[in-house]
C-alpha cells in the first residue's frame, strides 16, 4: 500500500483553503471588522445585534426624535440628509423591524391595494395576480390578497376586511351575478374599485378591465370552421359569467358564418364539480353514446378542455391526430399547463399581463385623482390563437 506523505495533507489544506470563502465578522457596536479563513482556526462568535421592539426605543438608541424617525419610515426623503444618514447608520447597529401598519397611521394613503380572486387552485388567477403584484410594486403599492373560494359570503367578508384596513383601492375578480351587490356598492362608495376578468350584469357601471370574449371566441370559432367541421360548444353550468359570454359569442359567430350552433354541457352531470371534471363527464356521456367521435369541440375554457382531453384518452381517441376526419378539441385562456397536455392544447390566449397592468394603472390613477371618476373606464384586450396539436 503506498505511503501518503505529509506533503499531501499540506497541499490538501492549501487547496481547500484556496477554494473556501473568506468570512467577514462584523462587530456592529464597535464598527470593526475581522476577516479570516474558514480554515485558519476556531470561529470567532459574532456579536449579536441589540434587539429593539418599539419606535420610541429606537429613536432613543439612534439619537433622533420619534417624529423624525416616523417620517423616515414613511419616506426617507422627508428628513434631512444628516438625519437620514444618522438613522441608516443606527439601523445597521440594531435588530429592528418597523410595524407595517403603525408606519401608515395618520397618513392619507396606506400604500395598500386589496385584490379579491375567486380561486386559489386556478393557475389563470395565479398568473393574473402575479401581473397585478408586479404592476402594483412598480407603482409603489403593496398588494393584500383575499380569495372568495367561490363563496359569496367569503367574498363579502373580504370586501369588508379591505374597508376596515383602509386600503387605497380594490381590484375584484367577482364570482358573478350571485355576488353580494350591496357589499360591492359599499366598497365602491368608499374607495376606488375596478373589476377584473369578469363583469357581472348587476355591476354595469363599475370600471372594468378584461378580455374581449366576443373577439376571442369568434376567433376560435372561425378558426375551427375554417380548418374542419363547425364546432360544438362544450359549455359550463350557467353560473360562470365569462363562460356564458363566450357561449353567446359562439352562437353569434356560428350564425354569422351560416352554421347551426350546437351547445352541450349547460347542466351539471351527476353533480360533479365544474371545470375539468365537468368537461370529462360531459364528453364521457357523449362518447359512450357514440356521439361527437369525430367532431370539433370548442370548450368554454382550458380547464374544461383538459377534462375533455382526459375523456378522449379514456375512450381511445386522439384529438388532432387527423385520422378519419379526427376529433378536435380547443380551449380558451391559454392556461399555463396547455403546452404540456397530451396532446398539447390548442386555445386562445388572454393577454393576462396587460390586463393586470391596465387594471392597476386605472386604479392608481383613480387613487391619485388623476381621472374623472364620473366617466366609466372599460378596457378589453383581444385574444390570440395558440395553435397546437389538439386542433
Amino acid at each position: 500500500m503506498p505511503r501518503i506523505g505529509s506533503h499531501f495533507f499540506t497541499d490538501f489544506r492549501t487547496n481547500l483553503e484556496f477554494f473556501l470563502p473568506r468570512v467577514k465578522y462584523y462587530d456592529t457596536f464597535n464598527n470593526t471588522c475581522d476577516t479570516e479563513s474558514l480554515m485558519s482556526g476556531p470561529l470567532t462568535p459574532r456579536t449579536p445585534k441589540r434587539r429593539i421592539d418599539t419606535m420610541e426605543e429606537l429613536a432613543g438608541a439612534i439619537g433622533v426624535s420619534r417624529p423624525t424617525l416616523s417620517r423616515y419610515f414613511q419616506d426617507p426623503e422627508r428628513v434631512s440628509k444628516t438625519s437620514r444618514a444618522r438613522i441608516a447608520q443606527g439601523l445597521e447597529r440594531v435588530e429592528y423591524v418597523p410595524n407595517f401598519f403603525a408606519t401608515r397611521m395618520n397618513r392619507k394613503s396606506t400604500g395598500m391595494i386589496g385584490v379579491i380572486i375567486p380561486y386559489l387552485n386556478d393557475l389563470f388567477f395565479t398568473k393574473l395576480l402575479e401581473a397585478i403584484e408586479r404592476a402594483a410594486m412598480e407603482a409603489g403599492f403593496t398588494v393584500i390578497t383575499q380569495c372568495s373560494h367561490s363563496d359569496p359570503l367569503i367574498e363579502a367578508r373580504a370586501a369588508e376586511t379591505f374597508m376596515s384596513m383602509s386600503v387605497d383601492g380594490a381590484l375584484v375578480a367577482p364570482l358573478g351575478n350571485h355576488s353580494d351587490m350591496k357589499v360591492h356598492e359599499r366598497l365602491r362608495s368608499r374607495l376606488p374599485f375596478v373589476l377584473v376578468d369578469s363583469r357581472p350584469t348587476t355591476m354595469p357601471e363599475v370600471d372594468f378591465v378584461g378580455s374581449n370574449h366576443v373577439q376571442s371566441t369568434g376567433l376560435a370559432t372561425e378558426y375551427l370552421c375554417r380548418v374542419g367541421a363547425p364546432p360544438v360548444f362544450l359549455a359550463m353550468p350557467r353560473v360562470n359569467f365569462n363562460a356564458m359570454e363566450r357561449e353567446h359569442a359562439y352562437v353569434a359567430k356560428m350564425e354569422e358564418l351560416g352554421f347551426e350552433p350546437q351547445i352541450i354541457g349547460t347542466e351539471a352531470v351527476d353533480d360533479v364539480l365544474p371545470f375539468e371534471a365537468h368537461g370529462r363527464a360531459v364528453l364521457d356521456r357523449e362518447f359512450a353514446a357514440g356521439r361527437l367521435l369525430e367532431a370539433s369541440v370548442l370548450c368554454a375554457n382550458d380547464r374544461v378542455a383538459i377534462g375533455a382531453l382526459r375523456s378522449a384518452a379514456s375512450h381511445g381517441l386522439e384529438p388532432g391526430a387527423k385520422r378519419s376526419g379526427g376529433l378536435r378539441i380547443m380551449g380558451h385562456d391559454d392556461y399555463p399547463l396547455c403546452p404540456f397536455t397530451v396532446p398539447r392544447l390548442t386555445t386562445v390566449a388572454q393577454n393576462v399581463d396587460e390586463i393586470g397592468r391596465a387594471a392597476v394603472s386605472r386604479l392608481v390613477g383613480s387613487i391619485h385623482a388623476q381621472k374623472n371618476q364620473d366617466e366609466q373606464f372599460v378596457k378589453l384586450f383581444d385574444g390570440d390563437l395558440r395553435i397546437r396539436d389538439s386542433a
Side-chain angles (χ1 to χ4, degrees), residues 75-382:
D75 181 2
E77 297 299 324
R78 295 182 60 192
V79 301
S80 67
K81 290 184 178 180
T82 302
S83 295
R84 193 158 63 237
R86 186 185 189 93
I87 293 171
Q89 292 174 2
L91 289 173
E92 288 292 327
R93 300 194 303 270
V94 300
E95 177 65 34
Y96 176 76
V97 178
N99 184 298
F100 180 86
F101 293 101
T103 59
R104 283 158 171 75
M105 292 178 64
N106 302 319
R107 293 174 59 180
K108 292 182 179 180
S109 170
T110 60
M112 296 186 295
I113 290 175
V115 178
I116 302 177
I117 58 174
Y119 313 105
L120 284 175
N121 64 343
D122 191 316
L123 294 180
F124 170 81
F125 289 105
T126 304
K127 190 175 180 181
L128 176 62
L129 183 58
E130 179 183 0
I132 289 172
E133 286 192 336
R134 288 184 180 277
M137 286 189 292
E138 290 175 3
F141 286 85
T142 298
V143 170
I144 307 295
T145 304
Q146 296 272 286
C147 180
S148 61
H149 301 287
S150 306
D151 188 328
L153 294 178
I154 298 177
E155 183 184 56
R157 188 161 65 243
E160 294 284 355
T161 298
F162 287 155
M163 286 185 279
S164 69
M165 294 174 68
S166 299
V167 298
D168 292 335
L171 298 174
V172 180
L175 294 177
N177 290 337
H178 55 294
S179 294
D180 189 331
M181 293 303 106
K182 292 183 179 179
V183 173
H184 283 91
E185 283 300 324
R186 285 189 60 216
L187 188 67
R188 186 187 178 198
S189 68
R190 293 171 63 97
L191 47 85
F193 173 35
V194 178
L195 292 172
V196 185
D197 177 61
S198 178
R199 179 171 51 167
T201 56
T202 50
M203 291 187 272
E205 298 178 358
V206 180
D207 289 347
F208 174 69
V209 179
S211 291
N212 184 347
H213 297 302
V214 173
Q215 178 271 341
S216 60
T217 307
L219 183 67
T221 304
E222 189 173 23
Y223 165 72
L224 290 174
C225 289
R226 185 172 70 248
V227 298
V232 173
F233 189 80
L234 202 172
M236 289 177 59
R238 292 188 168 99
V239 295
N240 185 292
F241 184 79
N242 283 348
M244 293 169 58
E245 190 171 0
R246 291 169 193 171
E247 179 183 328
H248 296 154
Y250 158 80
V251 171
K253 179 56 70 171
M254 287 287 283
E255 291 176 345
E256 176 188 326
L257 296 174
F259 297 112
E260 183 70 26
Q262 183 181 351
I263 300 171
I264 59 175
T266 58
E267 302 295 333
V269 179
D270 299 327
D271 296 323
V272 299
L273 296 175
F275 303 115
E276 296 90 351
H278 176 73
R280 181 178 183 180
V282 172
L283 283 195
D284 276 347
R285 181 179 58 188
E286 296 296 322
F287 294 153
R291 297 188 294 264
L292 304 183
L293 298 177
E294 297 184 4
S296 299
V297 180
L298 175 59
C299 301
N301 58 48
D302 289 336
R303 293 185 61 185
V304 172
I306 289 173
L309 291 178
R310 182 68 183 89
S311 176
S314 66
H315 286 81
L317 302 172
E318 301 178 61
K322 298 181 181 179
R323 297 189 178 95
S324 301
L327 170 69
R328 297 183 303 158
I329 294 175
M330 183 172 182
H332 189 293
D333 292 342
D334 201 22
Y335 199 62
L337 296 180
C338 289
F340 305 101
T341 59
V342 180
R344 298 179 305 154
L345 184 63
T346 294
T347 186
V348 177
Q350 294 196 64
N351 198 337
V352 180
D353 290 339
E354 287 302 319
I355 290 173
R357 278 193 287 267
V360 171
S361 176
R362 169 59 180 179
L363 187 66
V364 171
S366 298
I367 291 170
H368 293 157
Q370 295 174 349
K371 298 179 189 274
N372 184 359
Q373 295 302 296
D374 294 330
E375 182 179 347
Q376 185 188 20
F377 177 86
V378 175
K379 178 68 174 178
L380 303 179
F381 289 90
D382 288 349

Side-chain angles (χ1 to χ4, degrees), residues 33-60:
C33 173
D34 178 39
T35 303
E36 63 180 56
S37 166
L38 288 174
M39 295 294 296
S40 63
L43 297 179
T44 304
R46 183 166 52 178
T47 305
K49 290 184 177 182
R50 174 186 173 187
R51 175 174 171 173
I52 291 181
D53 296 318
T54 68
M55 198 175 292
E56 287 78 9
E57 185 182 358
L58 179 64

